[in-house]
Amino acid sequence: MVIVKHILRGILPALLWFAAGPASAWSNHALGTWQALSVMPEMKSAAPVKVERLETFLAAEDVALEKVLAQEEAWVRANVPVYPPRPEALAFRSSGQPAELRQRFISAVRINPELKLNLFLQLRPGEQLNGRPGLPWAEVTTLRGETTAREITFQDLAEGDTVAPLDVLATASDEPDYGMDLGLWENNETAYGKTYGFGKQPFGNPALEFSSQAPFHMGFYHEAGIIYLAAGFLKRTYPEYRIHLWQTLAVHALRSGHAYWGWRFAGWALHYQQDLSQPYHARVLPGVGVARMLWINSVDLLGYHAAKDHAITLVSNRHLALENYQYHRMRAAYLRPDPDDALMLACRDTARDLAYAPYDDNSPRQVIAKEAQTMADAADTALEQSLPAHYIADPGYDFGKSEKGVDIFEVSGKSPQSAQQALTGLTAELLRNVGAHTRSLVRSLLARSGASR
Ligand SMILES: [Zn+2]
């Protein structure tokens, strides 16, 4: 066993360095959320809600939130394995000026304080502002490099504006990828990371800006036992913490008459849950068995590094290719528009909604991540068989470095018909799951908040 540990310790950190690179999962979650919820009459025809600044919400609810967040912390400590407790000094306290409340809230929920949390809506691809004020993408995200936010039109909102809950939810479901979870670890060289109590970044390269969010957006809950034995740090993934926290705040805000923040928090919860349906977020190395990992690393230890380097590059390339394909295909469907594109239909497909038990706190781990990890090997194979080898089977090609300008949906159009169908089938299957789980979580929030009555 010691030898196995030694072998795995050699390979896992290196593989995860890459696994943690492309951590956005579905690129632009709003595209799927709009579709998934458009078939829920409660959301489609929901009355508009009044936009409210975060400070206004906090000032109105500060006393109640102190209790709600204390109870939430107790729940997470009792229910989320290897949860790093929130330091007592960061507990939310009521009273104080609005700016101070905002700071205390951000510290209590331990998010990146550089995120502005402006008031905005994302517009659907192709939709015009038509005289409404716009908001530059740099005002919604802290990312300055590779972000799909650059291609999105944002509408600037003001307190008192009225907006559709569906648009608030869809917009917010993309927001956790705008820098919310960046720099939170104590070795991320940020002042806040040193106070948040999350410890050192469990995997990923802390020097890379985007990688530090990965442990919050991935859930490695169903690896082989031997993997955890060798690499205990893999247990330190926290989407369950985020999902529960944002749900709790959503229910409180909806119940207390702050519907805008209710739906915005709900969208944040949806994001992490949707991430768990991406097989490359629910399995460390889809397509690579434990025995093969051991072999790869054994030859690596003997000085033959090519096999390990190849495995790392291929897993990373396929992860990125899947997200790139989904993003470009759905964006194109909005732009044409083609509401009956297979991926759009998959998000709206309610056929399986009743096949799942109603959403509960075990769903993210036991249902959603489990389902994605079960599909991981098949997904990996489908990608390998459907796309040109250059993108997914050539260890000399680094998708991460060359992605700019690459449109895998367009590339796939040149593949044989059967390959195109296989890729459509795989992605639609995954998005069918995303759609069903998205509606399931929203239904549970409506029931808990009394908003469905
Ligand atoms: Zn994410």
Side-chain angles (χ1 to χ4, degrees):
M1 207 44 85
V2 171
I3 291 171
V4 169
K5 272 195 184 187
H6 178 66
I7 289 172
L8 283 171
R9 279 207 179 114
I11 188 170
L12 282 171
L15 286 166
L16 285 163
W17 190 92
F18 279 82
S24 56
W26 307 111
S27 296
N28 195 352
H29 288 237
L31 302 183
T33 307
W34 270 311
Q35 295 302 312
L37 298 179
S38 68
V39 290
M40 275 182 75
E42 311 94 299
M43 292 315 302
K44 203 183 164 195
S45 56
V49 298
K50 216 177 231 182
V51 175
E52 205 179 26
R53 288 165 63 233
L54 178 62
E55 290 80 354
T56 308
F57 165 65
L58 296 176
E61 292 299 318
D62 58 347
V63 175
L65 283 173
E66 185 174 321
K67 199 170 150 205
V68 166
L69 287 169
Q71 285 168 349
E72 175 61 18
E73 178 65 15
W75 186 92
V76 194
R77 287 185 191 189
N79 292 284
V80 173
V82 294
Y83 170 70
R86 185 222 52 220
E88 226 27 66
L90 301 186
F92 184 74
R93 307 253 181 262
S94 58
S95 81
Q97 294 305 306
E100 202 182 331
L101 280 178
R102 177 195 162 96
Q103 182 47 49
R104 285 185 194 168
F105 177 77
I106 284 170
S107 298
V109 297
R110 296 192 278 179
I111 59 172
N112 178 359
E114 283 159 28
L115 191 66
K116 291 181 181 167
L117 297 171
N118 281 325
L119 303 172
F120 63 92
L121 282 185
Q122 178 176 155
L123 301 193
R124 290 163 180 80
E127 192 184 347
Q128 305 296 323
L129 282 163
N130 289 333
R132 294 172 289 181
L135 190 67
W137 65 269
E139 290 294 307
V140 308
T141 175
T142 68
L143 291 165
R144 292 293 174 264
E146 287 303 305
T147 166
T148 52
R150 286 171 181 275
E151 292 164 6
I152 296 171
T153 303
F154 294 100
Q155 179 190 344
D156 192 15
L157 297 176
E159 190 158 63
D161 287 352
T162 53
V163 287
L166 177 58
D167 291 335
V168 177
L169 260 168
T171 297
S173 72
D174 202 35
E175 206 177 349
D177 275 344
Y178 297 167
M180 187 179 280
D181 296 317
L182 291 180
L184 309 188
W185 309 99
E186 70 179 42
N187 57 333
N188 285 162
E189 315 254 321
T190 60
Y192 55 94
K194 290 184 175 55
T195 69
Y196 277 2
F198 285 121
K200 289 200 168 65
Q201 191 174 326
F203 54 83
N205 181 349
L208 295 177
E209 188 193 30
F210 205 68
S211 85
S212 65
Q213 76 170 32
F216 293 94
H217 295 234
M218 296 173 141
F220 299 135
Y221 303 131
H222 305 285
E223 301 296 330
I226 195 172
I227 300 276
Y228 295 122
L229 200 70
F233 60 87
L234 278 182
K235 291 184 181 165
R236 294 174 59 209
T237 55
Y238 301 114
E240 289 172 301
Y241 156 52
R242 285 300 197 218
I243 292 168
H244 200 274
L245 170 63
W246 303 138
Q247 271 189 98
T248 296
L249 287 166
V251 169
H252 178 78
L254 288 169
R255 277 186 186 160
S256 57
H258 301 277
Y260 172 78
W261 278 98
W263 294 123
R264 189 155 169 180
F265 289 134
W268 294 0
L270 274 182
H271 178 96
Y272 301 83
Q273 185 189 283
Q274 292 171 344
D275 273 353
L276 290 178
S277 284
Q278 215 283 37
Y280 291 87
H281 279 240
R283 259 277 290 286
V284 178
L285 293 167
V288 184
V290 174
R292 182 163 162 75
M293 283 166 60
L294 292 173
W295 177 81
I296 288 172
N297 207 63
S298 302
V299 295
D300 186 70
L301 291 172
L302 292 172
Y304 301 99
H305 307 301
K308 185 167 90 175
D309 293 346
H310 289 184
I312 288 169
T313 306
L314 295 188
V315 167
S316 171
N317 286 357
R318 289 171 195 185
H319 183 156
L320 286 169
L322 176 60
E323 290 167 13
N324 181 297
Y325 173 83
Q326 168 266 334
Y327 171 68
H328 284 285
R329 179 160 179 170
M330 288 197 80
R331 190 162 185 271
Y334 274 90
L335 286 171
R336 278 197 299 274
D338 181 7
D340 291 335
D341 175 85
L343 303 195
M344 305 282 266
L345 284 174
C347 291
R348 303 201 302 272
D349 186 352
T350 57
R352 269 193 232 152
D353 285 19
L354 292 176
Y356 296 103
Y359 180 90
D360 68 23
D361 294 330
N362 292 315
S363 300
R365 180 183 293 247
Q366 299 302 349
V367 180
I368 303 169
K370 179 82 189 149
E371 182 180 70
Q373 87 87 28
T374 306
M375 290 177 68
D377 285 341
D380 196 69
T381 306
L383 285 168
E384 191 177 9
Q385 292 174 350
S386 321
L387 289 170
H390 175 59
Y391 296 103
I392 40 80
D394 176 3
Y397 177 77
D398 185 337
F399 206 121
K401 283 191 189 137
S402 336
E403 189 177 10
K404 222 176 183 131
V406 175
D407 179 340
I408 289 293
F409 175 47
E410 199 182 297
V411 167
S412 74
K414 295 177 192 104
S415 295
Q417 205 63 31
S418 59
Q420 291 187 43
Q421 282 167 357
L423 196 51
T424 298
L426 161 72
T427 319
E429 185 68 5
L430 295 172
L431 291 176
R432 219 168 268 125
N433 296 341
V434 170
H437 300 311
T438 295
R439 287 184 292 276
S440 179
L441 179 57
V442 170
R443 273 191 204 106
S444 111
L445 291 172
L446 285 168
R448 288 172 60 198
S449 64
S452 59
R453 288 197 297 270

